[in-house]
């Protein structure tokens, strides 16, 4: 686990900039995650104090929004679309393939921190179903073979 105190200067600078902004909690959380890669546990008491909130209120907002991470992100994030169009074109089978290949659940991260799985419910490419997003890059008309190639590339050399 990384030393979260290393993030304190960034956290304090974000708080100094944003704490007086109306509705500051979400912009502060986004800025901290942008700067640190996640919202470190050490940020919670700092945010709570600066905004005169309880730590429970801050943690509640972090846990409510799925895009906030409380641990460092994996090197690669794979987001498989599970919406209707992709489902009809085999996304559930691809999801099962991923879970088996990586030994993860739908919201898991591999033990070595190389890949995180995240289901999403539309990537806006329904005409090209099934689709996934790997590190921000869209891959359309996905087949089981292509999925295996993409995942293996991430596992083998760390680059997808």
């Amino acid at each position: 686990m990384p030393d979260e105190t290393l993030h304190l200067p960034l956290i304090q600078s974000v708080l100094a900039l944003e704490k007086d902004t109306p509705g500051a909690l979400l912009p502060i959380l986004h800025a901290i995650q942008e700067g640190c890669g996640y919202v470190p546990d050490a940020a919670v008491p700092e945010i709570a104090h600066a905004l005169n909130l309880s730590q429970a209120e801050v943690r509640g907002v972090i846990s409510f929004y799925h895009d906030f991470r409380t641990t460092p992100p994996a090197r690669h994030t794979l987001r498989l679309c599970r919406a209707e169009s992709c489902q009809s074109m085999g996304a559930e089978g691809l999801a099962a393939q991923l879970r088996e290949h990586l030994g993860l659940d739908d919201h898991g991260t591999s033990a070595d921190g190389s890949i995180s799985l995240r289901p999403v419910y539309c990537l806006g490419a329904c005409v090209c179903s099934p689709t996934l997003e790997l590190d921000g890059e869209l891959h359309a008309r996905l087949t089981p073979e292509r999925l295996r190639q993409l995942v293996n590339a991430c596992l083998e050399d760390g680059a997808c």
Side-chain angles (χ1 to χ4, degrees):
M1 189 70 164
D3 180 6
E4 292 188 348
T5 59
L6 296 174
H7 298 298
L8 285 176
L10 174 95
I11 293 165
Q12 291 165 349
S13 69
V14 167
L15 290 171
L17 252 132
E18 297 286 345
K19 70 178 184 171
D20 295 324
T21 304
L25 181 55
L26 286 176
I28 286 170
L29 291 171
H30 282 290
I32 290 172
Q33 181 160 293
E34 177 75 23
C36 301
Y38 67 110
V39 180
D41 196 51
V44 173
E46 299 287 328
I47 296 168
H49 178 74
L51 298 181
N52 197 28
L53 299 171
S54 71
Q55 290 186 38
E57 289 173 298
V58 176
R59 289 184 199 285
V61 170
I62 293 168
S63 66
F64 179 79
Y65 292 100
H66 297 289
D67 285 336
F68 290 124
R69 292 182 300 271
T70 57
T71 57
R75 287 187 300 280
H76 304 286
T77 300
L78 193 153
R79 299 178 352 133
L80 179 65
C81 181
R82 306 292 279 282
E84 290 80 5
S85 178
C86 287
Q87 279 184 32
S88 71
M89 297 300 288
E92 292 305 318
L94 296 173
Q97 176 184 335
L98 279 171
R99 289 189 299 267
E100 182 179 330
H101 188 149
L102 297 170
L104 301 175
D105 66 20
D106 283 338
H107 292 275
T109 299
S110 60
D112 66 357
S114 61
I115 299 178
S116 284
L117 298 180
R118 300 288 178 260
V120 294
Y121 293 92
C122 194
L123 291 169
C126 301
V127 72
C128 300
S129 296
T131 59
L132 72 77
E133 183 185 89
L134 181 57
D135 297 338
E137 183 178 332
L138 192 68
H139 297 269
R141 295 187 179 95
L142 203 59
T143 63
E145 296 76 26
R146 181 66 182 132
L147 177 60
R148 192 172 5 272
Q149 291 171 349
L150 289 167
V151 171
N152 285 341
C154 290
L155 294 174
E156 288 170 7
D157 64 4
C160 298

